[in-house]
Amino acid sequence: MTILEKFKTLTYGSAPESAETAVSWLNDHDREFGLYINGSWAAARDERTIPVTNPATGETLALVAVAGADDVDKAVKAATKAFKSWSQTSDHERARYLYAIARGVQKHQRLLAVLESLDNGKPIRESRDIDVPLVARHFYYHAGWAQLMGAELPGYAPVGVVGQIIPWNFPLLMLAWKIAPALAMGNTVVIKPAPATPLTALLFAEIVAEAGLPPGVVNVITGDDETGKLMTAHPGFDKYAFTGSTEVGKIIRQVTAGRGVKLSLELGGKSPFIVFDDADQEAAIEGLVDAIWFNQGEVCCAGSRLLVQETIAEPFLARLRQRMGKLRLADPLDKSIDLGAVVDRAQWERIDSWVQKGVADGATLFQPACELPAHGCFYPPTLLTNVAPASAVAQEEIFGPVLVGMTFRTPGEAVMLANNTRYGLAASIWTENVNLALDVATKIKAGSVWVNSTNLFDAAAGFGGYRESGYGREGGKEGLYEYVQPAWAKHRRQDAPELDKGWGKYVPGRPRPGGTNGVGGSLVDRTAKMYVGGKQARPDGSYSYPVINPSGKLVGYAGDGNRKDIRNAVEAAHAAKGWADRTPYNRAQILYFMAENLAARADELAKRLREMTGVREKTAVSEVEQAISRLFTYASYADKYGGVVQETTLYGLVVAMTEPVGVIGIACPEELPLLGFVSLLAPAIARGNTIVVVPSSRYPLLATDFYQILDTSDLPPGVINIVTGDQAHLTQTLMRHDDVDAMWYFGDAQGSMQVEYASASNMKRTWVNYGRSPDWWSREQGEGEQFLRQATQVKNIWVPMGE
Ligand code: NDP
C-alpha cells in the first residue's frame, strides 16, 4: 500500500475523555440533589424528585428535586433578603466575587465540560472549547462591569430579585449569560435550569459557595414543567429573563403583563445562511457545518435556512452532501466526533416529525449513510431541498441537525427571503465582496449578523433578537440595561389590575341628550382632522367628539378615529420607512426646523394649552419652551447614537449598530399634552422610526395644532401620523396590528397591562408606564438615553479580518 493510499484509508480511532471525575462528583452526592436556597442544600418540601438521563446512553445520571410552590417562595424570600445587602455592596466588592466565580469556573472547567456533555449529549470538543471558556469569559467581563458600574452607569440602580428560566441546549452558558450581568449590577437571582439538563447548574451552585458569595444571592431550583410556571406567577420577582421557545415566551409575557416587572426574552430563530456566487465555497461549507451541526443544531441562532445563489447552487449542494458524509456521530465524550446526541427522546421525535412533514410536503431528503450508535438519541445530519419559502420546514424552528436549502438570484431577493420569517435572531453572509456583505448585513432584520463566519459569540457583544425572536440583549454594555433601572424610578413592581375584557371596546360619538355633554353646541364646526401620510384626513367614520376643558367649556371637536384610520396610518408609516435611510444630519435638520417652527407659533400654542387645560399663562409658556428644548435634544441625538465597535475576542470588527425599531405606536399621556407628546415623538423619529401617535383623548387638540408645524418642517409624509379618538380603542387596534413593531403607552395601569398582554401575539416591543408618569419637566426623567434605547435595537455585525 502506498503512502497516498494509506492516507486515503485512514480512519478515526476513538479518543474518549474520561468521565471519572464527573462520575465521582455524582457519587459524592449519592446521585441525588436538592435545591440550593439561601446558601444551603435542601430537599424539596414534598421530597419529589425527577430523574436526569444521559441522552447518549439512556442511563440515569441522578435524581433532582422538584421545587413546588413553597420552595419557590422560600427561594424568593432568600433572594429578597439577600438583595438588601447585596445591592449595597461596593462595586469593587461585587467585582471581586464575580472574579472569584470566573476563577472557580476555570479551575473546574474540565469537570464542568464533561458533566455538560454527559447531561446534554453535546460533543466534549464543544463543551470544553466553546461553552465553558465562554462561561468564564462572561464572568470576567461582568466582573469588569461590576467594578465600573458607578462610573459607567451613573444614575442607575439594580432592579431587585430576578427570576431566570433557561433551556437545555446550552445549560451552563445560558446560566452564565443570565447570572453574570444580574450579579454585576447588584441584583439577586433565583434560577431554574431546564428539567432535562440541571446538573451543571447544581455544580455551579457549589462553585458559587466556594467563591464565598453571601447566602441568597444565587439560588438554584430544579423542577419539572410546573416549576417555571410557579416562578412566573410569583409576585416577588422584579424581573424575569427567559430563554426558550417562542411559545413559552409568549405565555410568560401574558402572565407577567401589568405587573411592572422587567422582562427579557431570548426566543427561537430560523436564521438565514446566505452564500453569494463569489463566496469562498470551501470556507462557506465549513461555516455551514458550524452553523447547523454545532450542538446538533439545537441552537437558537443556528443557520438553519441555507440561501445559495442559483448560479452556484448545484455544485455547492453537491459539495455539501459530500461533506455531510464525513461528519461523525458517536459518544459525546469522544474528542474526535462532530455530532453527539440530541437532548432527549421527545426532542428526537419532534425533529423527526418535522423532517417527515417536510418530505410529505414535497422536499427532497438527504441524510448521509453515516454510522449511528446503536443506542441513544442520535439524529443524522439532514438536508432538505426543493423547499418552498413558505413551507412549514422553511418557517418553523426545527431545533435539530436539519438544514433547509433554497436558492436566490439577486442580492435583493436574498434579503427578501432572509427576512421572510417571523424571527430575527441571526444571519450569516458569505461573499468576498465587502460592500455587498455590509449592505446586506444592514438590511437583514436580526440581532447578530456574521460576515464570512457564523455562530461567533463573546461577552462583549450583545446577543438577542428582532421580532418574534424576543427582546433584550445578553452581553455587551447593551445587556446591562436589562438588569438596571433609573435610580429615580424606585421600585416599579405592583399588583396587576384585573384584566378588563371590555377594554378598548368603543362606540363612536353620537349626539347626546342635552347637547354636547350638557355644555351646549357650537354654531361653527371646528373639527380638527387627523394627520395621515402628510395630509389632514377626515376620520373614516366621519365621527367626531367634543373636547371640553376642565371648567366645562367646549374647546372644539376632534376626529373620532377607528380601525380603518389606524390601518391607513400604519400603511402610511410603512410607506415612509425610507426615513431611516435619510442621513442623520438630515433628520437632525428637520428636528431643528420643527423646533424653529414651534418657536414661531409659541404664543398660539401656549394660548391653546391654557384654553384646553386651564393652566396659568406662565406654566403654558414654560411647557412650550420645554417642548422646543426637547426637540433640540433629539435633533442633537439624531447623529450621536449610532453605535460602537465592540471589544470582543475576534480579530476583526464587531460593530454594534443602533437601528430603528420600525413602526412605533405611541399613546400619549394626558398630563402636559404638548410636552408629553413631543417628548415621545421626537426620540422615535430622531432615530429613524416612523410613528402612529394617539394623543390623549382628553386633550387632543394640541397634537392637531402641531400639523402646521409638521407641514412646514420638511418632514416627509408618513413619518408622523396622528389619529385622535378613544385612546384605549385606538391603542388596542394598534396592538392587534401585525405591522406595528412596538407600542409605547403612557396611560393608566389597566391600559399598560392590556398593551403588555396583547403584545404577545407577535412579540411587539412595549414600553408602558403602569399608570405612573415620569416628571416630563425634568431632563433626567423626561428625555435622554432611556428614550433612545426604546427607539432603537442593537444589531451586532461581525466582520473578521485578514486573508
Ligand atoms: P421550552 O421553551 O418549553 O423550555 C425552556 C424553559 O422554559 C425550560 O426551563 C422550561 O422548564 C421552561 N418553561 C416551560 N414552560 C414554561 C412556562 N409556562 N412558564 C415558565 N417556564 C416555562 O422549550 P422545550 O424544552 O419544551 O423545547 C421545545 C422547543 O422549544 C424546541 O423544540 C425548540 O424548538 C424550542 N427551544 C428553543 C430554544 C431557544 O433557545 N430558542 C431553547 C430550547 C427550546 P419547565 O419545563 O421546567 O417549565
Side-chain angles (χ1 to χ4, degrees):
M1 191 183 264
T2 66
I3 290 179
L4 190 62
E5 280 165 346
K6 265 206 170 331
F7 263 112
K8 282 188 180 159
T9 52
L10 275 180
T11 54
Y12 283 95
S14 68
E17 171 73 37
S18 165
E20 199 184 343
T21 314
V23 169
S24 306
W25 180 78
L26 291 169
N27 290 339
D28 289 346
H29 291 269
D30 295 329
R31 299 208 176 222
E32 190 159 345
F33 293 86
L35 309 166
Y36 184 72
I37 298 175
N38 208 22
S40 56
W41 295 94
R45 175 84 176 257
D46 62 7
E47 298 188 353
R48 260 194 335 125
T49 58
I50 47 166
V52 179
T53 45
N54 176 344
T57 61
E59 173 207 0
T60 298
L61 293 168
L63 298 176
V64 299
V66 176
D70 289 343
D71 305 302
V72 171
D73 195 50
K74 193 169 140 198
V76 174
K77 287 203 173 104
T80 307
K81 181 157 171 265
F83 178 71
K84 288 199 183 84
S85 47
W86 180 249
S87 58
Q88 299 302 316
T89 52
S90 72
D91 291 350
H92 178 61
E93 210 175 327
R94 286 198 317 283
R96 293 280 282 259
Y97 280 119
L98 280 147
Y99 170 80
I101 295 173
R103 291 291 298 126
V105 168
Q106 282 184 320
K107 273 191 253 167
H108 299 294
Q109 57 182 311
R110 196 45 80 104
L111 170 59
L112 284 164
V114 173
L115 194 63
E116 193 78 313
S117 284
L118 284 175
D119 198 6
N120 164 280
K122 63 173 72 200
I124 182 73
R125 193 174 47 81
E126 293 175 3
S127 49
R128 182 196 60 194
D129 298 345
I130 299 170
D131 296 44
V132 178
L134 273 173
V135 171
R137 164 83 178 128
H138 263 266
F139 281 101
Y140 276 118
Y141 178 77
H142 285 96
W145 277 124
Q147 175 81 14
L148 300 176
M149 184 179 176
E152 293 289 322
L153 286 104
Y156 284 98
V159 182
V161 176
V162 185
Q164 306 186 317
I165 298 175
I166 54 175
W168 40 258
N169 54 343
F170 292 91
L172 189 64
L173 185 57
M174 290 303 103
L175 170 147
W177 283 19
K178 298 214 161 18
I179 290 187
L183 298 195
M185 297 295 104
N187 304 280
T188 56
V189 162
V190 178
I191 191 165
K192 189 193 80 66
T197 55
L199 296 181
T200 45
L202 298 168
L203 174 53
F204 179 81
E206 293 191 338
I207 292 174
V208 158
E210 215 172 65
L213 206 69
V217 173
V218 169
N219 304 277
V220 182
I221 58 172
T222 48
D224 61 6
D225 54 7
E226 283 305 309
T227 313
K229 289 185 197 136
L230 290 170
M231 280 178 71
T232 50
H234 197 289
F237 288 102
D238 300 287
K239 177 197 161 69
Y240 293 100
F242 170 78
T243 299
S245 61
T246 296
E247 287 62 41
V248 174
K250 289 181 175 185
I251 295 171
I252 293 176
R253 172 66 291 180
Q254 290 179 337
V255 172
T256 57
R259 281 166 43 190
V261 293
K262 273 179 91 116
L263 179 64
S264 49
L265 300 172
E266 200 268 273
L267 310 175
K270 191 76 183 179
S271 300
F273 187 102
I274 308 172
V275 186
F276 286 98
D277 59 5
D278 66 345
D280 174 343
Q281 291 189 33
E282 286 287 331
I285 297 275
E286 287 316 304
L288 255 183
V289 170
D290 270 347
I292 185 64
W293 293 302
F294 167 54
N295 206 40
Q296 298 69 246
E298 296 166 325
V299 184
C300 49
C301 54
S304 51
R305 267 190 309 145
L306 168 64
L307 302 174
V308 54
Q309 199 152 13
E310 203 173 84
T311 39
I312 57 160
E314 272 311 308
F316 187 83
L317 289 171
R319 264 187 195 202
L320 176 62
R321 289 188 194 101
Q322 210 177 29
R323 179 68 179 90
M324 287 169 72
K326 299 220 156 60
L327 294 172
R328 301 182 71 238
L329 281 82
D331 177 9
L333 288 189
D334 184 338
K335 283 173 248 176
S336 56
I337 62 146
D338 298 294
L339 282 88
V342 300
V343 73
D344 57 20
R345 187 51 56 187
Q347 188 61 13
W348 193 101
E349 304 282 354
R350 222 177 275 147
I351 297 166
D352 196 52
S353 72
W354 279 116
V355 172
Q356 301 309 327
K357 173 149 182 46
V359 172
D361 289 348
T364 307
L365 169 70
F366 174 76
Q367 288 175 331
C370 55
E371 258 177 60
L372 291 186
H375 305 288
C377 305
F378 291 87
Y379 202 91
T382 301
L383 171 67
L384 293 172
T385 48
N386 252 333
V387 167
S391 66
V393 286
Q395 290 293 327
E396 300 298 333
E397 184 178 49
I398 296 177
F399 226 65
V402 183
L403 178 66
V404 172
M406 285 168 284
T407 60
F408 67 88
R409 289 187 179 162
T410 61
E413 197 191 351
V415 170
M416 212 176 65
L417 283 170
N419 286 336
N420 178 22
T421 167
R422 62 194 172 108
Y423 296 115
L425 202 48
S428 185
I429 301 166
W430 295 76
T431 168
E432 293 298 286
N433 178 348
V434 67
N435 304 329
L436 175 66
L438 294 179
D439 185 43
V440 172
T442 53
K443 288 179 176 150
I444 287 181
K445 305 248 174 290
S448 298
V449 181
W450 297 294
V451 172
N452 292 326
S453 53
T454 193
N455 276 342
L456 297 178
F457 310 100
D458 186 69
F463 182 87
Y466 280 34
R467 304 175 172 175
E468 291 196 30
S469 290
Y471 34 74
R473 293 290 180 268
E474 297 187 300
K477 190 174 185 187
E478 58 268 36
L480 301 178
Y481 294 102
E482 304 299 330
Y483 289 97
V484 292
Q485 58 182 342
W488 58 261
K490 299 281 182 296
H491 226 51
R492 299 196 69 88
R493 182 182 0 124
Q494 64 186 25
D495 290 337
E498 187 91 1
L499 195 74
D500 174 1
K501 294 250 164 60
W503 192 85
K505 292 207 173 79
Y506 178 67
V507 180
R510 58 231 179 255
R512 315 232 163 131
T516 311
N517 288 348
V519 292
S522 165
L523 291 179
V524 184
D525 188 355
R526 291 183 294 153
T527 302
K529 297 200 179 72
M530 321 226 169
Y531 191 72
V532 175
K535 291 199 205 78
Q536 300 208 21
R538 247 175 240 294
D540 170 79
S542 298
Y543 291 113
S544 59
Y545 71 100
V547 179
I548 294 150
N549 75 6
S551 37
K553 189 167 161 269
L554 176 72
V555 191
Y557 288 86
D560 209 350
N562 66 14
R563 219 158 33 91
K564 278 198 188 159
D565 297 304
I566 290 288
R567 198 188 58 194
N568 294 341
V570 173
E571 218 166 89
H574 268 278
K577 273 185 153 176
W579 175 242
D581 301 327
R582 295 270 183 124
T583 63
Y585 177 40
N586 180 253
R587 289 200 302 268
Q589 291 273 292
I590 289 173
L591 278 149
Y592 280 127
F593 205 7
M594 282 166 65
E596 196 180 300
N597 288 326
L598 180 55
R601 289 172 178 268
D603 292 346
E604 192 187 312
L605 282 157
K607 186 163 165 269
R608 176 69 107 174
L609 272 174
R610 294 184 60 199
E611 185 186 31
M612 212 168 59
T613 62
V615 289
R616 286 185 307 149
E617 184 176 358
K618 200 164 151 238
T619 315
V621 169
S622 300
E623 186 173 342
V624 178
E625 273 304 312
Q626 187 73 327
I628 295 169
S629 163
R630 210 132 276 175
L631 285 168
F632 261 66
T633 296
Y634 293 108
S636 316
Y637 272 127
D639 54 7
K640 293 176 193 66
Y641 197 70
V644 291
V645 173
Q646 310 272 34
E647 301 196 64
T648 68
T649 49
L650 179 79
Y651 177 64
L653 293 176
V654 181
V655 183
M657 292 177 59
T658 47
E659 295 191 339
V661 177
V663 173
I664 303 180
I666 301 178
C668 296
E670 193 169 292
E671 70 279 1
L672 299 171
L674 177 66
L675 184 57
F677 169 78
V678 169
S679 300
L680 292 167
L681 78 83
I685 66 165
R687 297 308 318 168
N689 301 284
T690 58
I691 58 178
V692 177
V693 187
V694 180
S696 87
S697 309
R698 186 155 178 211
Y699 302 125
L701 298 182
L702 267 159
T704 60
D705 289 345
F706 213 75
Y707 301 164
Q708 279 91 2
I709 289 160
L710 300 178
D711 280 341
T712 48
S713 303
D714 291 345
L715 190 77
V719 173
I720 297 178
N721 305 278
I722 302 173
V723 180
T724 52
D726 182 75
Q727 198 180 53
H729 177 63
L730 299 175
T731 299
Q732 190 184 58
T733 312
L734 279 165
M735 289 313 297
R736 287 180 179 165
H737 201 304
D738 270 350
D739 283 338
V740 174
D741 301 294
M743 184 76 210
W744 298 358
Y745 178 87
F746 283 76
D748 58 15
Q750 175 67 232
S752 299
M753 176 177 190
Q754 295 277 353
V755 164
E756 288 193 335
Y757 190 89
S759 72
S761 69
N762 70 345
M763 298 315 290
K764 279 183 189 51
R765 274 178 63 175
T766 56
W767 184 27
V768 304
N769 67 340
Y770 306 105
R772 292 173 301 219
S773 277
D775 173 6
W776 298 105
W777 292 104
S778 103
R779 289 186 74 172
E780 187 191 25
Q781 300 188 22
E783 66 178 42
E785 220 191 343
Q786 52 157 341
F787 288 76
L788 295 164
R789 269 203 312 281
Q790 295 292 345
T792 53
Q793 48 195 346
V794 178
K795 172 192 279 178
N796 277 295
I797 304 178
W798 297 64
V799 191
M801 299 191 300
E803 272 296 303

